[in-house]
Coordinates of all heavy atoms in Angstrom, one line a residue:
V138 N 48.2 30.7 29.7 CA 47.8 29.5 30.5 C 47.7 29.7 32.0 O 46.7 29.3 32.6 CB 48.7 28.3 30.1 CG1 48.5 27.1 31.1 CG2 48.5 27.9 28.7
P139 N 48.7 30.4 32.6 CA 48.5 30.7 34.1 C 47.2 31.4 34.4 O 46.5 31.0 35.4 CB 49.7 31.5 34.4 CG 50.7 31.1 33.4 CD 50.0 30.9 32.1
L141 N 44.4 31.4 32.6 CA 43.3 30.5 32.3 C 43.2 29.4 33.3 O 42.2 28.6 33.2 CB 43.4 30.0 30.9 CG 43.2 31.1 29.8 CD1 43.6 30.5 28.4 CD2 41.8 31.5 29.8
V142 N 44.1 29.2 34.1 CA 44.0 28.1 35.1 C 43.7 28.7 36.5 O 42.8 28.3 37.2 CB 45.3 27.2 35.2 CG1 45.2 26.3 36.3 CG2 45.5 26.5 33.9
V143 N 44.5 29.7 36.9 CA 44.4 30.3 38.3 C 43.2 31.1 38.4 O 42.4 30.9 39.4 CB 45.7 31.1 38.6 CG1 45.5 31.8 39.9 CG2 46.9 30.3 38.6
L144 N 42.9 32.0 37.5 CA 41.7 32.8 37.6 C 40.4 32.0 37.6 O 39.5 32.3 38.5 CB 41.7 33.9 36.5 CG 40.5 34.9 36.5 CD1 40.6 35.7 37.8 CD2 40.6 35.8 35.3
P145 N 40.2 31.1 36.7 CA 38.9 30.3 36.9 C 38.9 29.5 38.2 O 37.8 29.3 38.7 CB 39.0 29.3 35.7 CG 39.9 30.0 34.7 CD 40.9 30.8 35.5
L146 N 40.0 29.0 38.7 CA 40.0 28.3 40.0 C 39.5 29.3 41.1 O 38.7 28.9 41.9 CB 41.4 27.8 40.3 CG 41.6 27.1 41.6 CD1 40.6 25.9 41.8 CD2 43.0 26.6 41.8
L147 N 40.0 30.5 41.1 CA 39.6 31.4 42.2 C 38.1 31.8 42.0 O 37.4 31.9 43.1 CB 40.5 32.7 42.1 CG 42.0 32.6 42.3 CD1 42.7 33.9 42.1 CD2 42.2 32.0 43.7
A149 N 35.8 29.9 40.7 CA 35.1 28.7 41.1 C 35.0 28.6 42.6 O 34.0 28.2 43.1 CB 35.7 27.5 40.5
L150 N 36.1 28.9 43.3 CA 36.1 28.8 44.8 C 35.1 29.8 45.3 O 34.4 29.5 46.3 CB 37.5 29.1 45.3 CG 38.5 28.1 45.1 CD1 39.9 28.6 45.5 CD2 38.2 26.8 45.8
N230 N 36.5 26.8 31.9 CA 37.4 26.3 32.9 C 36.7 26.5 34.3 O 36.9 25.7 35.2 CB 38.8 26.9 32.9 CG 39.6 26.4 31.7 OD1 39.1 25.5 31.0 ND2 40.7 27.0 31.5
I233 N 34.1 23.9 34.8 CA 34.7 22.5 35.1 C 35.3 22.5 36.5 O 35.1 21.5 37.2 CB 35.8 22.3 34.0 CG1 35.2 22.2 32.6 CG2 36.6 21.0 34.3 CD1 36.2 22.1 31.5
F234 N 36.0 23.5 36.9 CA 36.5 23.6 38.3 C 35.4 23.5 39.3 O 35.5 22.8 40.3 CB 37.3 24.9 38.5 CG 38.8 24.8 38.2 CD1 39.4 25.7 37.3 CD2 39.5 23.7 38.7 CE1 40.7 25.6 37.0 CE2 40.9 23.6 38.4 CZ 41.5 24.6 37.6
L235 N 34.3 24.2 39.0 CA 33.1 24.2 39.9 C 32.6 22.8 40.1 O 32.2 22.3 41.2 CB 32.1 25.2 39.4 CG 30.9 25.5 40.4 CD1 31.5 26.1 41.7 CD2 30.0 26.5 39.7
A236 N 32.5 22.1 39.0 CA 32.0 20.7 39.0 C 33.0 19.8 39.8 O 32.5 18.9 40.6 CB 31.9 20.1 37.6
G237 N 34.3 20.1 39.7 CA 35.2 19.3 40.5 C 35.1 19.6 42.0 O 35.2 18.7 42.8
L238 N 34.9 20.9 42.3 CA 34.7 21.2 43.7 C 33.5 20.6 44.3 O 33.5 20.2 45.5 CB 34.6 22.7 43.9 CG 35.9 23.5 43.6 CD1 35.6 25.0 43.6 CD2 36.9 23.2 44.6
I241 N 34.1 17.0 45.7 CA 35.0 16.8 46.9 C 34.1 16.5 48.1 O 33.1 17.3 48.3 CB 35.9 17.9 47.1 CG1 36.8 18.2 45.9 CG2 36.7 17.7 48.4 CD1 37.7 19.4 46.0
F260 N 42.7 24.4 51.8 CA 42.8 24.5 50.3 C 43.9 23.6 49.8 O 43.7 22.9 48.9 CB 43.1 26.0 50.0 CG 43.4 26.2 48.5 CD1 42.4 26.1 47.6 CD2 44.7 26.4 48.1 CE1 42.7 26.3 46.2 CE2 45.0 26.6 46.7 CZ 44.0 26.5 45.8
W261 N 45.1 23.7 50.5 CA 46.3 23.0 50.0 C 46.2 21.5 50.3 O 46.7 20.6 49.5 CB 47.5 23.5 50.6 CG 47.9 24.8 50.0 CD1 47.9 26.1 50.6 CD2 48.4 25.1 48.7 NE1 48.3 27.0 49.8 CE2 48.6 26.5 48.5 CE3 48.6 24.3 47.5 CZ2 49.0 27.1 47.4 CZ3 49.0 24.9 46.4 CH2 49.3 26.2 46.3
T264 N 41.4 20.7 49.0 CA 40.9 21.2 47.7 C 41.9 20.8 46.6 O 41.4 20.2 45.6 CB 40.7 22.7 47.7 OG1 39.8 23.0 48.8 CG2 40.1 23.1 46.4
V265 N 43.1 21.1 46.7 CA 44.1 20.8 45.6 C 44.2 19.3 45.3 O 44.1 18.9 44.2 CB 45.5 21.5 46.0 CG1 46.5 21.0 45.0 CG2 45.4 23.0 46.0
P266 N 44.4 18.5 46.4 CA 44.4 17.0 46.0 C 43.1 16.5 45.4 O 43.1 15.7 44.5 CB 44.7 16.4 47.4 CG 45.3 17.4 48.2 CD 44.7 18.7 47.8
G267 N 42.0 17.1 45.9 CA 40.7 16.6 45.3 C 40.5 17.1 43.9 O 39.8 16.5 43.1
L268 N 41.2 18.2 43.5 CA 41.0 18.8 42.2 C 42.1 18.3 41.2 O 42.2 18.8 40.1 CB 41.0 20.3 42.2 CG 39.8 21.0 42.7 CD1 40.0 22.5 42.7 CD2 38.5 20.6 41.9
R269 N 43.0 17.4 41.7 CA 44.2 17.1 40.9 C 43.8 16.5 39.5 O 44.4 16.9 38.5 CB 45.1 16.1 41.6 CG 46.4 15.9 40.9 CD 47.5 15.3 41.9 NE 48.0 16.4 42.7 CZ 48.1 16.3 44.0 NH1 47.6 15.3 44.7 NH2 48.6 17.3 44.7
P270 N 42.8 15.6 39.4 CA 42.5 15.1 38.1 C 41.9 16.2 37.2 O 42.1 16.2 36.0 CB 41.4 14.0 38.4 CG 41.7 13.6 39.8 CD 42.1 14.8 40.5
V271 N 41.0 17.0 37.8 CA 40.5 18.2 37.1 C 41.5 19.1 36.6 O 41.5 19.6 35.5 CB 39.4 18.9 37.9 CG1 38.8 20.1 37.2 CG2 38.3 17.9 38.3
M272 N 42.5 19.4 37.5 CA 43.6 20.3 37.2 C 44.4 19.8 36.0 O 44.8 20.5 35.1 CB 44.5 20.5 38.4 CG 45.6 21.5 38.2 SD 44.9 23.2 38.4 CE 44.6 23.2 40.2
L273 N 44.6 18.5 36.0 CA 45.4 17.8 34.9 C 44.6 18.0 33.6 O 45.2 18.4 32.6 CB 45.6 16.4 35.2 CG 46.2 15.5 34.0 CD1 47.6 16.0 33.7 CD2 46.2 14.1 34.4
F274 N 43.3 17.8 33.6 CA 42.5 17.9 32.4 C 42.5 19.4 31.9 O 42.8 19.6 30.7 CB 41.1 17.5 32.7 CG 40.1 17.7 31.5 CD1 40.1 16.9 30.4 CD2 39.3 18.8 31.6 CE1 39.2 17.2 29.4 CE2 38.4 19.1 30.6 CZ 38.4 18.2 29.5
I275 N 42.3 20.3 32.8 CA 42.2 21.7 32.4 C 43.6 22.2 31.9 O 43.6 22.9 30.9 CB 41.7 22.6 33.6 CG1 40.2 22.3 33.8 CG2 41.9 24.1 33.3 CD1 39.6 23.1 34.9
T276 N 44.6 21.9 32.6 CA 46.0 22.4 32.2 C 46.3 21.9 30.8 O 46.8 22.6 30.0 CB 47.0 21.9 33.2 OG1 46.7 22.4 34.5 CG2 48.4 22.5 32.8
T277 N 46.1 20.6 30.6 CA 46.4 20.0 29.3 C 45.6 20.6 28.2 O 46.1 21.0 27.1 CB 46.2 18.5 29.3 OG1 47.0 17.9 30.4 CG2 46.7 17.8 28.0
T278 N 44.3 20.6 28.3 CA 43.4 21.2 27.3 C 43.7 22.7 27.0 O 43.6 23.1 25.9 CB 42.0 20.9 27.6 OG1 41.6 21.5 28.9 CG2 41.6 19.5 27.6
T279 N 44.0 23.4 28.1 CA 44.3 24.8 27.9 C 45.6 25.1 27.2 O 45.7 25.9 26.3 CB 44.3 25.5 29.3 OG1 43.1 25.3 30.0 CG2 44.6 27.0 29.2
I280 N 46.6 24.3 27.5 CA 47.9 24.4 26.7 C 47.6 24.1 25.3 O 48.1 24.8 24.4 CB 48.9 23.4 27.3 CG1 49.4 23.9 28.7 CG2 50.1 23.3 26.4 CD1 50.3 23.0 29.4
N340 N 53.3 16.6 31.1 CA 52.4 17.1 32.0 C 51.7 15.9 32.8 O 51.5 16.0 34.0 CB 51.3 18.0 31.3 CG 50.4 18.7 32.3 OD1 50.8 19.0 33.4 ND2 49.2 18.9 31.8
F341 N 51.3 14.9 32.0 CA 50.6 13.7 32.7 C 51.6 13.1 33.6 O 51.2 12.7 34.7 CB 50.2 12.7 31.6 CG 48.8 13.0 31.1 CD1 48.6 13.7 29.9 CD2 47.7 12.5 31.7 CE1 47.3 14.0 29.4 CE2 46.4 12.8 31.3 CZ 46.2 13.5 30.1
Q344 N 52.0 15.2 36.8 CA 50.8 15.2 37.7 C 50.7 13.9 38.3 O 50.3 13.8 39.5 CB 49.6 15.5 36.8 CG 49.5 16.9 36.2 CD 49.2 17.9 37.3 OE1 48.9 17.6 38.4 NE2 49.3 19.2 37.0
R345 N 51.0 12.8 37.6 CA 50.9 11.5 38.2 C 51.9 11.3 39.4 O 51.6 10.7 40.4 CB 51.1 10.4 37.2 CG 50.8 9.0 37.7 CD 50.9 8.0 36.5 NE 52.3 7.9 36.0 CZ 52.6 7.1 35.0 NH1 51.7 6.3 34.4 NH2 53.9 7.0 34.6
R347 N 53.1 13.6 41.3 CA 52.6 14.4 42.4 C 51.5 13.7 43.1 O 51.4 13.7 44.3 CB 52.1 15.8 41.9 CG 53.2 16.7 41.4 CD 52.7 18.0 40.9 NE 53.7 18.9 40.3 CZ 53.5 20.0 39.7 NH1 52.2 20.4 39.5 NH2 54.5 20.7 39.2

Side-chain angles (χ1 to χ4, degrees):
V138 169
L141 289 170
V142 173
V143 175
L144 184 61
L146 176 58
L147 296 177
L150 290 171
N230 288 352
I233 297 174
F234 271 128
L235 192 57
L238 290 172
I241 299 177
F260 173 76
W261 289 111
T264 305
V265 172
L268 287 178
R269 189 162 282 127
V271 177
M272 187 78 71
L273 172 61
F274 173 78
I275 288 179
T276 303
T277 303
T278 55
T279 302
I280 291 174
N340 187 29
F341 272 97
Q344 294 287 352
R345 187 174 65 180
R347 290 176 184 174

